[in-house]
Amino acid sequence: MHDALHQLTSRIRDARRITVMTGAGVSAASGVPTFRGPGGLWRQYRPEELATAQAFARDPSLVWEWYEWRRERIASCTPNRAHEVLASWSQRSSSCRIVTQNVDDLHVRAGTRGLVRLHGSIWELSCWRRCASAPRTWRDEHVPLPERPPRCRFCDGVARPAVVWFGESLDPADVAAAHDATSCDVFLTVGTSAIVYPAAAFVHDAKQRGAFTAEINLEPTPASSVVDVAIHGPAEEILGNIEAMLGG
Ligand code: BV8
């Protein structure tokens, strides 16, 4: 891992444009449960079973119970070293873009600039029936929520978590911003199992566009055989080491 770390660090040092794609693994050290790793999610459900509009239509209270459990967990979590290093890179240069699949908002709380949130935020709600008077989303940080399921503030109908569920399309503006960011010198994928699309496609785009690609993850993923350098270990430690070697 040693020379891979040095190779990646020198590539980052020389890079003008850096893009980092993050997944649940960057929040694991903060205590936020990942989706598929050990100590993962809730009861006997897989995320693909609950994070869908069909599940919500069938049982909005069950789906909200899951999101309330996550909101409660996340409310007591704080950004870790991985979030802090990435936030400082984004503050140092606007050509360092952080693109996240995470909905916990820990990158936001760490002060990340220009963050692209591909899957929305667990701290935002939207109207389940998309009523005309509601904005696309609104923020609601109540833990616990006043009622389950919460009501739409604008039509008193049911509100849903303002996240992108499986089978739902991402916001085209976010996809365009993420694709734009794949034109870079270094593309780093950090803490993601690299199986959820279209997020998992961006490392391939970056490679095709000539970026030096690297992965930092606890375990091998489908991206490991695509990237130029795969470093297996904890993101909070490895990003901290890189930042130290950069003199940050
Ligand atoms: C779409 C928000 C077009 C909700 C999430 C059939 C029908 C319909 C669609 C599909 C289909 N087959 C495939 C698809 C596409 C589907 C998909 O990719 N499915 C997968 C399961 C195969 N994608 C979609 O549906 C997307 N939309 O395609 O629209 C469309 C429209 C209609 C019909 C067809 C297509 C929408 C995808 C978004 C889903 N929403 N989240 C919520 O959060 O509740 S995805 C969810 O998974 C999270 O956002 C999460 O970010 C994402 C990926 O998970 P990871 O972040 O990677 O987390 P995971 O736990 O998996 O891995 C963590 C990794 O970190 C592990 O490897 C672990 O080892 C590592 N780690 C742990 N600790 C550390 C660490 N690494 C470093 N340091 C540590 N300390």
Side-chain angles (χ1 to χ4, degrees):
M1 167 160 95
H2 212 62
D3 52 346
L5 192 61
H6 280 94
Q7 189 185 4
L8 174 57
T9 304
S10 65
R11 285 281 183 161
I12 290 172
R13 184 181 293 114
D14 302 342
R16 209 174 53 73
R17 293 163 304 165
I18 299 170
T19 297
V20 186
M21 159 72 74
T22 67
V26 299
S27 297
S30 299
V32 180
T34 61
F35 286 85
R36 297 166 187 86
L41 280 170
W42 188 57
R43 296 192 191 163
Q44 77 280 12
Y45 295 100
R46 289 182 315 110
E48 291 80 7
E49 289 168 310
L50 283 180
T52 67
Q54 292 76 5
F56 192 82
R58 195 171 46 244
D59 189 344
S61 288
L62 172 70
V63 175
W64 263 117
E65 204 181 330
W66 178 45
Y67 280 93
E68 280 217 88
W69 175 78
R70 290 168 65 189
R71 285 163 60 106
E72 213 165 300
R73 293 281 299 263
I74 294 166
S76 61
C77 298
T78 52
N80 66 62
R81 187 77 185 113
H83 298 108
E84 287 160 3
V85 168
L86 296 177
S88 66
W89 290 1
S90 74
Q91 289 154 9
R92 241 179 259 158
S93 155
S94 59
S95 47
C96 171
R97 304 297 305 274
I98 313 298
V99 180
T100 190
Q101 301 171 80
N102 299 341
V103 299
D104 57 33
D105 272 9
L106 288 182
H107 283 303
V108 175
R109 287 171 50 194
T112 307
R113 301 251 304 264
L115 178 67
V116 177
R117 286 182 327 186
L118 292 176
H119 296 156
S121 170
I122 201 165
W123 296 111
E124 293 176 11
L125 274 55
S126 59
C127 180
W128 167 235
R129 65 182 190 86
R130 294 201 192 89
C131 72
S133 38
R136 200 167 60 80
T137 71
W138 64 90
R139 203 150 182 85
D140 181 322
E141 298 183 352
H142 288 100
V143 174
L145 286 161
E147 59 182 314
R148 186 190 303 149
R151 316 301 296 173
C152 168
R153 285 182 184 162
F154 305 87
C155 75
D156 208 31
V158 170
R160 57 164 283 181
V163 297
V164 180
W165 279 329
F166 289 101
E168 292 187 324
S169 299
L170 281 67
D171 181 329
D174 294 331
V175 176
H179 181 71
D180 184 53
T182 62
S183 166
C184 57
D185 302 303
V186 175
F187 187 98
L188 195 46
T189 167
V190 187
T192 177
S193 55
I195 59 165
V196 170
Y197 282 81
F202 291 116
V203 65
H204 300 268
D205 297 352
K207 189 170 180 67
Q208 255 157 28
R209 300 177 86 176
F212 178 81
T213 53
E215 176 185 51
I216 297 173
N217 201 63
L218 268 192
E219 63 195 355
T221 75
S224 304
S225 55
V226 172
V227 295
D228 296 304
V229 165
I231 301 174
H232 294 141
E236 63 280 5
E237 199 181 292
I238 292 166
L239 286 173
N241 292 344
I242 291 174
E243 179 66 348
M245 288 194 279
L246 291 172

